[in-house]
Amino acid sequence: MPIHLNIRLATQDDLTELANLNRLAFSPQQTVEQIKVHWFHNQLDQPGRRRYLAIDLQTNLAVGAYTILDLRVWFMGQTIPATGVAGICVAPHKR
């Protein structure tokens, strides 16, 4: 069965869904509200981080998320731009 997803940049309106996905993947003993406050500081607009959501087009629900980190690495006496990927999480029923 094909899976139909839309990958898009997360917005502030997605904070609850993003926090829930992170809770399920990394810290199920915490509440969504705790994750929103302690991990995201109640905002998604954080310097050097772009958060993305995978939306199931059949249900319109977020089923995955990841973060792109804007980094700099030291190489041969100079810094160069780099990218990191972090916080990859998938809803349990889609794993």
Side-chain angles (χ1 to χ4, degrees):
M1 171 162 55
I3 299 172
H4 301 284
L5 296 175
N6 178 38
I7 309 294
R8 65 169 176 78
L9 196 59
T11 67
Q12 188 64 31
D13 292 339
D14 300 315
L15 179 59
T16 298
E17 282 187 287
L18 190 60
N20 188 51
L21 285 168
N22 277 266
R23 182 187 69 80
L24 291 170
F26 304 116
S27 190
Q29 71 277 14
Q30 292 188 339
T31 67
V32 171
E33 289 304 314
Q34 288 172 318
I35 299 289
K36 285 166 66 172
V37 170
H38 298 293
W39 294 21
F40 296 102
H41 307 288
N42 282 319
Q43 64 176 355
L44 292 183
D45 186 21
Q46 297 174 343
R49 296 173 188 237
R50 289 169 284 144
R51 301 178 194 278
Y52 290 85
L53 282 178
I55 306 297
D56 182 329
L57 294 176
Q58 293 176 333
T59 63
N60 206 34
L61 296 175
V63 295
Y66 63 95
T67 301
I68 298 293
L69 304 172
D70 297 327
L71 305 171
R72 307 277 301 163
V73 294
W74 186 260
F75 183 72
M76 297 184 68
Q78 62 183 346
T79 59
I80 57 173
T83 299
V85 179
I88 300 167
C89 46
V90 177
H93 67 284
K94 293 292 185 177
R95 294 179 189 161

